[in-house]
């Protein structure tokens, strides 16, 4: 096998892609579909870590590119009645979730991004993609600010690294609300089944959600299963989850770990401490994949009627010219001897 780092333009199931290869790993990102990192694999061992579209299902994926790969959500999750309060103004988003009457998932996960460059170093392959919003851009229609979001993915023997940067290019403060709807396979090891998997993650408190899936501003008492989620772990399909939690780092790290008990391998998703919230969605406890979603802000944060601490709910902005950035990594932790 050729372990030399490689980066090149290619095709993923008929869609233009940038492919990265390094060590045992390969990854593919789709610039035309929201810069979605659609595949992350260990080709030597045939591990597929991310939920990918089935063959011949790309049109369905492109129509709703949320539950595959690593979609970028800006702004993330739900906003009541499509309203978004910011700095004394109300931005009007389309109501695109009929069941709740809310806006869901923002505006950048299904539109083209620019490929700024790709290449290799002695140890890694990399690609940089960006979305530049200004007056006249489709996103500006709903979020009237000039800004740039940049993603850099790199692949090495240390797994997949993600660097995200947001820069305010305008002359007024802008909202900085972001998440990744990361879809993780369980199982990711050939020959294993979903029942072989346990996960744990750095959750804190569980937010109470109303019938419209919006936070009430109160916390719910954690069940024993949810307490186990913080420590020894449990099946990612132990019950139906569309749950919202605060993120509380452990040992200085904010992460989800998914262990294959049969092979003793652990997939680590280390997301950085700027993400103050977690969403967990498991498709109604359907085995196969689940979504541990690192999120900066509380769902519906700009519209909360209670006086909640802005740090607690991650309601952040960027002043003109300011930059925010964070890094995350997906990697495999070998079994301890």
């Amino acid at each position: 096998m050729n372990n030399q780092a490689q980066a090149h333009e290619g095709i993923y199931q008929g869609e233009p892609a940038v492919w990265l290869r390094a060590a045992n790993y390969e990854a593919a990102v789709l610039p035309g579909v929201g810069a979605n990192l659609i595949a992350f694999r260990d080709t030597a061992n045939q591990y597929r870590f991310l939920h990918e579209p089935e063959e011949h299902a790309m049109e369905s994926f492109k129509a709703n590119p949320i539950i595959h790969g690593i979609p970028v959500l800006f702004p993330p999750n739900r906003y009541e009645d499509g309203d978004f309060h910011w700095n004394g103004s109300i931005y009007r988003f389309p109501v695109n979730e009929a069941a709740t009457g809310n806006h869901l998932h923002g505006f950048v996960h299904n539109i083209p991004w620019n490929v700024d460059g790709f290449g290799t170093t002695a140890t890694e392959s990399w690609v940089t993609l960006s979305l530049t919003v200004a007056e006249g851009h489709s996103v500006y229609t709903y979020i009237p600010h000039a800004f740039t979001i940049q993603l850099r993915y790199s692949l090495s023997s240390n797994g997949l690294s993600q660097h995200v940067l947001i820069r305010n290019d305008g002359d007024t403060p802008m909202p900085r609300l972001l998440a990744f709807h990361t879809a993780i396979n369980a199982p990711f090891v050939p020959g294993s089944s979903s029942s072989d998997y346990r996960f744990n993650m750095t959750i804190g408190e569980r937010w109470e959600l109303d019938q419209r899936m919006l936070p009430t501003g109160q916390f719910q008492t954690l069940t024993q299963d949810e307490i186990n989620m913080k420590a020894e772990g449990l099946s990612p399909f132990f019950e139906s989850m569309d749950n919202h939690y605060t993120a509380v780092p452990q040992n200085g790290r904010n992460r989800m770990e998914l262990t294959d008990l049969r092979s003793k391998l652990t997939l680590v998703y280390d997301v950085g401490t700027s993400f103050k919230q977690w969403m967990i969605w498991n498709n109604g406890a359907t085995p196969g994949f689940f979504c541990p979603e690192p999120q900066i802000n509380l769902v519906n944060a700009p519209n909360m009627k209670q006086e909640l601490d802005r740090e607690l709910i991650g309601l952040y902005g960027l002043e003109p010219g300011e930059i925010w950035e964070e890094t995350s990594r997906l990697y495999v932790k070998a079994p301890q001897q």
Side-chain angles (χ1 to χ4, degrees):
M1 178 177 182
N2 182 6
N3 289 333
Q4 184 177 359
Q6 303 174 46
H8 64 90
E9 292 180 309
I11 298 295
Y12 175 91
Q13 295 196 38
E15 184 70 21
V18 177
W19 284 90
L20 306 178
R21 291 184 173 86
N24 288 344
Y25 296 115
E26 70 176 5
V29 63
L30 305 179
V33 191
N36 190 320
L37 196 292
I38 195 63
F40 173 42
R41 308 166 179 165
D42 179 328
T43 56
N45 295 295
Q46 301 303 306
Y47 304 153
R48 293 198 174 203
F49 303 110
L50 298 179
H51 184 225
E52 300 180 36
E54 295 182 4
E55 294 287 341
H56 312 299
M58 284 299 287
E59 291 308 311
S60 175
F61 157 72
K62 287 190 288 185
N64 185 29
I66 287 296
I67 63 171
H68 301 87
I70 308 181
V72 186
L73 307 184
F74 185 90
N77 221 282
R78 294 178 172 91
Y79 297 91
E80 185 176 3
D81 302 323
D83 290 347
F84 186 100
H85 291 77
W86 183 255
N87 265 15
S89 299
I90 302 178
Y91 303 158
R92 305 291 186 184
F93 298 169
V95 173
N96 58 1
E97 189 180 45
T100 65
N102 300 318
H103 173 79
L104 180 66
H105 289 336
F107 307 101
V108 307
H109 62 280
N110 56 358
I111 62 175
W113 289 46
N114 185 60
V115 177
D116 296 336
F118 57 87
T120 63
T121 69
T123 59
E124 69 173 19
S125 55
W126 59 270
V127 60
T128 302
L129 308 101
S130 64
L131 183 71
T132 300
V133 173
E135 192 168 0
H137 193 280
S138 61
V139 175
Y140 193 94
T141 303
Y142 304 108
I143 305 175
H145 296 273
F147 63 94
T148 298
I149 307 177
Q150 185 181 79
L151 281 172
R152 184 184 190 271
Y153 284 108
S154 61
L155 205 57
S156 72
S157 59
N158 290 321
L160 177 71
S161 175
Q162 178 200 67
H163 176 267
V164 58
L165 177 151
I166 304 174
R167 183 182 67 238
N168 185 348
D169 300 323
D171 55 10
T172 59
M174 64 166 285
R176 172 171 58 88
L177 310 180
L178 176 83
F180 294 96
H181 204 288
T182 308
I184 304 288
N185 277 335
F188 60 80
V189 175
S192 293
S193 66
S194 293
S195 61
D196 293 318
Y197 283 75
R198 298 292 182 271
F199 84 113
N200 57 66
M201 59 195 299
T202 52
I203 65 167
E205 302 286 348
R206 179 175 176 177
W207 291 101
E208 181 182 63
L209 303 179
D210 65 18
Q211 292 182 337
R212 298 178 64 185
M213 298 302 293
L214 299 172
T216 66
Q218 304 297 315
F219 292 126
Q220 290 180 301
T221 302
L222 295 181
T223 66
Q224 185 59 53
D225 284 328
E226 290 173 312
I227 293 170
N228 292 342
M229 198 188 304
K230 298 183 181 187
E232 64 268 23
L234 72 170
S235 167
F237 310 106
F238 75 97
E239 67 179 16
S240 179
M241 287 189 289
D242 193 353
N243 300 349
H244 196 20
Y245 302 92
T246 61
V248 178
Q250 298 174 7
N251 198 28
R253 296 169 53 232
N254 195 20
R255 50 98 189 110
M256 183 282 302
E257 294 188 347
L258 177 67
T259 298
D260 183 302
L261 299 177
R262 190 179 66 88
S263 68
K264 310 302 184 186
L265 292 174
T266 297
L267 178 67
V268 180
Y269 185 27
D270 195 324
V271 302
T273 56
S274 292
F275 294 100
K276 302 297 186 181
Q277 318 289 330
W278 283 106
M279 288 294 302
I280 310 178
W281 181 78
N282 66 359
N283 193 26
T286 304
F289 75 97
F290 72 112
C291 298
E293 307 168 32
Q295 189 163 304
I296 289 177
N297 59 290
L298 175 69
V299 170
N300 201 40
N303 304 329
M304 294 300 294
K305 297 174 177 61
Q306 300 90 337
E307 288 294 327
L308 298 175
D309 181 78
R310 294 173 73 89
E311 288 287 334
L312 173 66
I313 66 175
L315 184 56
Y316 301 126
L318 277 179
E319 295 295 321
E322 283 190 338
I323 292 172
W324 169 85
E325 58 188 335
E326 183 59 279
T327 57
S328 300
R329 183 176 293 275
L330 275 163
Y331 65 97
V332 173
K333 186 168 64 175
Q336 294 183 350
Q337 301 299 320

